[in-house]
Amino acid sequence: QVQLQESGPGLVKPSQTLSLTCTVSGGSISSGNYYWSWIRQPAGKGLEWIGRVSISGGTFYNPSLKSRVTVSIDTSKNQFSLKLSSVTAADTAVYYCAREAAITGTTSMYNWFDPWGQGTLVTVSS
Amino acid sequence: DIQVTQSPSSLSASVGDRVTITCRASPSISNFLNWYQHKPGKAPKLLIYAASSLQSGVPSRFSGSGSGTDFTLTISSLQPEDFATYYCQQSYITITFGGGTKVEI
């Protein structure tokens, strides 16, 4: 079955760019009608969706983070990536990657996340 | 924006108990709501999608109901492996999650 694994630096300095990669195994990132998403969870807080990329490279971001986020995909490596610029301590969180199903409904899209990676802690500190 | 409020934020229960968790959306989101289980250090797991559809492989003691603004996740008979935090998530307008409900012994 498909599995996802996040990787990247665990410590990023304030004002720098956070960069993470999600490697998909057990299946092709290009198969099926899926998006590939990033979600984060600051310590003691709830989950926040960051953004998604399609296999054609199309993206959609959380409006609250849109100005700082870039999500990209490399189908040849079965990977997708997150870049978050100008980070502050508020960006300290566990970052998850996930496969996102998207099914057309009558009035909107049914979007859900399955599976998820185990998450990676990124701390923003000097 | 869609506001999604979960209640309670935590609850204490025993093995065998029937547990109900509520998610309230404002404004209405039809049935564009999903439920997840999250254990510390593990990947979150999809339980229910489209408000009431059980994800493949999820035990039948989990069920979801509701439409519009009020939704519930029910665990009919709590098992030791069910102690975790549960989240709802809406996709009617962009994507947002509820604040979570921690189910403790």
Side-chain angles (χ1 to χ4, degrees):
Chain A
Q1 77 241 27
V2 171
Q3 293 183 307
L4 290 80
Q5 180 66 58
E6 305 88 352
S7 60
L11 181 64
V12 181
K13 288 182 168 50
S15 79
Q16 294 191 341
T17 296
L18 178 160
S19 296
L20 295 174
T21 296
C22 183
T23 300
V24 178
S25 60
S28 171
I29 200 170
S30 299
S31 65
N33 187 25
Y34 298 108
Y35 294 106
W36 302 91
S37 272
W38 289 95
I39 298 152
R40 70 180 182 179
Q41 184 173 33
K45 296 187 177 181
L47 294 160
E48 180 180 37
W49 176 71
I50 300 169
R52 70 168 71 98
V53 62
S54 70
I55 58 173
S56 62
T59 55
F60 190 77
Y61 302 130
N62 185 325
S64 68
L65 296 169
K66 183 178 181 179
S67 63
R68 299 193 292 130
V69 173
T70 302
V71 180
S72 59
I73 192 166
D74 186 336
T75 55
S76 67
K77 294 183 178 179
N78 237 32
Q79 294 177 333
F80 63 107
S81 299
L82 167 70
K83 291 188 185 300
L84 181 66
S85 64
S86 304
V87 297
T88 69
D91 295 310
T92 294
V94 176
Y95 286 76
Y96 297 95
C97 58
R99 186 179 69 177
E100 180 181 348
I103 310 297
T104 302
T106 53
T107 56
S108 188
M109 293 290 291
Y110 293 98
N111 300 75
W112 61 79
F113 303 100
D114 179 66
W116 301 51
Q118 289 203 318
T120 187
L121 174 63
V122 179
T123 301
V124 178
S125 175
S126 56
Chain B
D1 283 8
I2 302 287
Q3 301 300 316
V4 180
T5 305
Q6 265 183 259
S7 61
S9 57
S10 66
L11 64 90
S12 295
S14 301
V15 172
D17 284 354
R18 181 180 181 89
V19 170
T20 298
I21 298 168
T22 297
C23 188
R24 176 160 290 175
S26 178
S28 172
I29 58 170
S30 184
N31 67 334
F32 293 89
L33 187 107
N34 313 307
W35 291 96
Y36 301 87
Q37 178 191 67
H38 190 197
K39 297 179 181 179
K42 297 289 187 69
K45 176 184 176 183
L46 176 69
L47 300 174
I48 302 286
Y49 62 93
S52 60
S53 295
L54 189 69
Q55 171 68 349
S56 176
V58 174
S60 60
R61 62 181 180 272
F62 291 94
S63 64
S65 65
S67 183
T69 60
D70 294 311
F71 302 86
T72 57
L73 172 71
T74 300
I75 309 172
S76 60
S77 178
L78 197 67
Q79 298 301 301
E81 60 268 31
D82 299 338
F83 291 95
T85 300
Y86 293 85
Y87 293 94
C88 58
Q89 170 247 315
Q90 68 82 23
S91 64
Y92 189 68
I93 295 177
T94 189
I95 289 173
T96 51
F97 291 85
T101 296
K102 186 174 184 179
V103 177
E104 301 175 293
I105 299 173

